[in-house]
Amino acid sequence: MSAPVLTVTLNPALDQTVLLDGLHPGQVHRASAAFVHAGGKGVNVAACLADWGGGPVAASGLLGADNQASFTALFAAKGIEDGFLRLPGETRTNIKLSHDGDTTDINLPGLIVPAGMEAALADRLESLAVPGGVVLLAGSLPAGIAPGFYASLIARLAARGVRVLLDSSGAPLKAGLSGAVKPFAIKPNRAELEELAGRVLPDDAALLAAAGELNAGGVELVVVSLGAEGAVFVTARQAVHAGLPPLRVVSSVGAGDAMMAGIIAALRDGAGLERIARLGTAFAAGKLGRAGANLPPREEIEALANQVVVKNLTKMEAEGMSV
C-alpha cells in the first residue's frame, strides 16, 4: 500500500461552473450547462487521488457548517477521510465561466476565521499527518489566518517525517518559502515563478535558472505549469519538459489540481522524475475531458501517460555551463 496522503484546504469553495459559447462583457449570455461541485484545490486533489486509488486519502481544513452537504457527500462517495473542522457560516462559492476552452474565475469572499483558532487548527493538522506520508497545503488562506501560517506548518509537519508539498500563490507562497524548513515541492505557473524570482522568465533557460535557485534553497522539486505548453519538472540534478497534443476540453477547471494529484500519486510510489512528469501530465489531460474533480478510469490515465512527450532539459547547458 502506498504512503497515506493528506490534503489541506483552508479556503475551500463550492465551484459553480457555467459553460458558455463565448464571453462578452456587458451582454446577456445563455449557458449551455451548469454544474456545482464541492471544490477548493486540496479537495480537488483528494478527489482525483481517490479516483486513482492505490492508498488512503484524507482531506482537512475549514468548512462552513451551513452548506457542507456537497462536501460530505463527495467524501462519502469517493472514500475520502473527512478531517475538516467546521465553522459557523457558509463556505464561499466560486463562479467559473468556461468558454472556448478558457475559464474566467469569479472568487467570492470566504469564511472569516475566529481569532486564536490558528493553534487549534495546526494541532489538528499535525495529528492527521502520518509519518512517512505526504501532505499537500493547497490554495489561499482565509481572513483571520496569517500569511506565515503555511511556513510554521511546514516546519511542524516536516518534523514528523512528512513530505510537504505547497501549492499556493502570492503572500502565502512567499511566506511558505521563507521559513527555515522548505516544502518538498511547489507548482507555480510562469507568472508566479516570475514573481518569486523578481524578473521576467522568457524562455526555458530562464525558467530553469529560477527553478534551480529554489532547488538550491531547499525545495527538492519545482514544477512550472505552462498551461497548453505543458510543464517543466525540475530537481537539483535533472529537468524535463512534459506535454501532450491538444485534447478535447470539457472543462479546464481543476486541471492544475489534477496535475498535482498525479505528481503526488507518483511520489508516494517512489517514482523517478520522468514518471512524475508523465503521470502529472496525464492526470491533467484526463481531467480536461470531465467536469468536476473526476478522473477517467485508471487504464485511460496510463494510456495518456504513455503518450506524454518527455524532453530532457540539461540545466547546466541552459545556464551556459558544461555538463
Side-chain angles (χ1 to χ4, degrees), residues 82-94:
D82 180 0
F84 275 85
L85 294 175
R86 270 63 172 178
L87 294 178
E90 293 189 348
T91 299
R92 64 181 176 152
T93 296
N94 286 345

Side-chain angles (χ1 to χ4, degrees), residues 10-12 62-65 85-92 108-118 121 141-146:
L10 300 181
N11 208 10
L62 300 170
L63 280 179
L85 294 175
R86 270 63 172 178
L87 294 178
E90 293 189 348
T91 299
R92 64 181 176 152
L108 302 184
L111 294 164
I112 298 177
V113 180
M117 190 171 183
E118 280 192 19
L121 177 60
L141 296 174
I145 298 290

Side-chain angles (χ1 to χ4, degrees), residues 18-24 29-33 96-101:
V18 181
L19 302 184
L20 302 170
D21 292 333
L23 182 61
H24 309 284
H29 298 75
R30 293 187 182 277
S32 58
K96 299 178 181 295
L97 307 177
S98 184
H99 52 96
D100 301 326

Side-chain angles (χ1 to χ4, degrees), residues 17 19 98 103 248-255 287-292:
T17 302
L19 302 184
S98 184
T103 301
R248 176 176 174 268
V249 177
V250 171
S251 173
S252 61
V253 176
K287 163 64 196 72
L288 292 176
R290 299 197 168 206

